Amino acid sequence: MLGEVLHVFRRRPRLRSFVDCTLGFAAGHSSAVIEMHRELEVYVGLDVDPVAHEKGRARIEGLLKGSEGLKAYTHLRNFKYIKSVLAGIDEDLLKEGVDGVLMDLGMSSMQVDRSERGFSVLGEGPLDMRMNPQASLKAEDILNSWPEDEVGRILREYGEESNWRSLQRKIVQARADGGLRSTSELVKLIRSSSTGFGGRQGWIKTATRVFQALRIAVNDELQTLEDALYACFDSLSSGGRLAVISFHSLEDRIVKKTFLDIIGNGDENGNFENFKGWNKDETDVGEELWSKQRVEGKHGIVLTKRPITPSEEEEKLNCRCRSAKLRVIQKV
């Protein structure tokens, strides 16, 4: 969704400062923003994965050779610490705020393809799943030592897995035989719990949901995301924009609800409907036809009633992007 992201930040007359909260291995979004906005004065890139941070930092340093006057900083930090990172760079930067912030919550293919990280359903590796290798909690700890009810809750709430009771029971039973120690052992257990319908795709979908649930729990992703959304919005300048790309319903629900809470609109379930402030006049949004309806609050404007999704052409080029949803909020 590179084109859509660039469009979000193109609307400002000048993009002086920009933060990429999820730098990534290729630093793709950051590179494109830097190349498009030659007026950029301060760039900050964050990533909690040391390998991704190192590779992304090298890419950014390569771009600096052709960007006079641009000060670039990369930090190995979780995006929930954006305010302390900005304050460490320059107190005035945090006080005045930054013009643009991007959060891309997707897993990098390089992370998934590294079997030693334990993210892949199809690879052989340890039950790790830590985004930050320095963190103490691993997926193996949850599977082999957490209370049975907690294991079930994770599968049910974070994986939205309908077969969670059977999986919970088998995971706990496996502890009597030494527990689960590898991704292949967990996948074997999941396959044995499948009903037999759906063939290979059936158990892969179940395994994907289970792996997602464990990854979310290991990295405390949902609470971290919510905290980070508030921190990122606080870090914006007047008129600054925060864009968030999510890849599953749990993330998108949190983004939608938190955006409404930030601006002071929305009901307890994070619904937009039946609230005053909807702007349905397309002429008010100029070229931004993807923002046909906006909801305005005291502190900001949600520019996307419905999330922006990838085009059919992009889905054909990259099947992994088909579940992506982009939401945008602007500070008043």
Side-chain angles (χ1 to χ4, degrees), residues 102-168:
L102 172 67
M103 302 170 68
D104 181 348
L105 306 177
M107 287 283 295
S108 165
S109 59
M110 291 188 182
Q111 288 173 318
V112 175
D113 295 341
R114 289 172 178 262
S115 59
E116 69 272 14
R117 301 295 295 274
F119 292 120
S120 176
V121 169
L122 301 178
E124 168 65 26
L127 287 165
D128 192 317
M129 303 193 191
R130 293 173 296 175
M131 299 297 293
N132 176 7
Q134 301 304 314
S136 57
L137 181 64
K138 302 178 183 179
E140 180 180 351
D141 301 323
I142 295 174
L143 292 168
N144 295 323
S145 61
W146 277 29
E148 182 174 351
D149 289 346
E150 271 297 285
V151 172
R153 182 188 67 81
I154 288 169
L155 298 175
R156 182 179 67 253
E157 295 183 6
Y158 297 165
E160 298 181 297
E161 172 53 47
S162 60
N163 195 32
W164 65 270
R165 288 187 179 84
S166 175
L167 289 167
Q168 167 192 284

Side-chain angles (χ1 to χ4, degrees), residues 233 236 239-242 259-260 262-265 272 277-279 284-285 288 290-291 293-305 327-332:
F233 185 82
L236 290 175
R241 290 181 172 183
L242 165 61
F259 277 8
L260 283 173
I262 285 173
I263 68 168
N265 252 326
F272 290 107
W278 273 117
N279 185 338
D284 286 350
V285 296
E288 295 181 307
W290 48 263
S291 178
Q293 293 185 328
R294 304 180 294 175
V295 61
E296 301 182 8
K298 181 179 180 181
H299 305 293
I301 305 168
V302 176
L303 298 175
T304 46
K305 175 184 179 181
R327 293 188 184 272
V328 187
I329 188 172
Q330 180 172 306
K331 196 170 189 177
V332 298

